[in-house]
């Protein structure tokens, strides 16, 4: 086996007649989560070059994990802001659970659409 490096900075190992890329994956223990999985599908379908670059650089997992965490934080913030602006409170929950549940479902769906457009499908 012979190792060499090409112009793009990736290392390769010659095995027979083939150059095999030396990819080292990062030590990552955080979960990818829902938003990271959605982003992977979006990248693969709509940005294949960026997707392949992230794979070859070994950064795809870390990037997806970080994006998942940022998206989740943004989702919680948007939901809290929308609850405050629409008057969805614990008092409403105690008084009328059906109205509270409907309002929360509506808020959550709208917040998910916002984070999809802001952070995932950009």
């Amino acid at each position: 086996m012979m190792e060499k490096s090409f112009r793009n900075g990736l290392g390769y190992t010659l095995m027979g007649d083939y150059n095999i890329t030396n990819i080292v994956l990062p030590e990552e223990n955080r979960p990818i989560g829902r938003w990271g999985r959605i982003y992977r599908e979006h990248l693969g379908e709509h940005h294949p070059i960026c997707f392949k670059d992230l794979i070859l650089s070994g950064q795809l997992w870390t990037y997806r994990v970080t994006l998942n965490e940022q998206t989740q934080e943004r989702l919680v913030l948007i939901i809290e802001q929308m609850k405050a602006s629409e008057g969805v409170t614990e008092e409403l929950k105690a008084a009328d659970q059906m109205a509270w549940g409907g309002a929360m479902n509506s808020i959550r769906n709208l917040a998910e659409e916002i984070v999809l457009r802001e952070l995932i499908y950009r």
Side-chain angles (χ1 to χ4, degrees):
M1 285 188 265
M2 182 177 155
E3 290 193 24
K4 52 183 161 179
S5 181
F6 291 110
R7 282 183 270 161
N8 61 3
L10 293 174
Y12 293 84
T13 301
L14 182 63
M15 298 186 90
D17 293 336
Y18 299 101
N19 286 317
I20 308 295
T21 309
N22 298 332
I23 298 176
V24 178
L25 297 176
E27 292 288 329
E28 188 66 68
N29 296 325
R30 299 177 295 170
I32 291 175
R34 174 183 179 202
W35 304 108
R37 288 189 303 272
I38 292 171
Y39 186 67
R40 184 207 177 282
E41 292 301 318
H42 173 70
L43 263 185
E45 289 179 23
H46 300 284
H47 305 285
I49 293 173
C50 180
F51 178 67
K52 290 175 185 171
D53 285 344
L54 285 171
I55 289 174
L56 291 174
S57 66
Q59 297 175 347
L60 182 62
W61 185 281
T62 305
Y63 190 81
R64 290 167 55 199
V65 168
T66 304
L67 182 71
N68 182 64
E69 292 169 353
Q70 291 173 349
T71 304
Q72 191 60 40
E73 290 170 7
R74 180 80 174 123
L75 182 68
V76 169
L77 178 66
I78 291 171
I79 288 173
E80 291 302 317
Q81 290 174 343
M82 291 177 75
K83 280 173 48 179
S85 71
E86 294 185 20
V88 178
T89 62
E90 290 299 315
E91 290 81 27
L92 176 63
K93 183 178 180 180
D96 188 358
Q97 288 184 355
M98 293 297 285
W100 180 85
M104 285 302 297
N105 284 339
S106 177
I107 287 170
R108 181 153 187 89
N109 289 336
L110 185 55
E112 286 180 359
E113 283 296 319
I114 291 169
V115 297
L116 279 171
R117 294 194 190 285
E118 281 183 355
L119 299 171
I120 307 295
Y121 299 147
R122 52 191 161 111

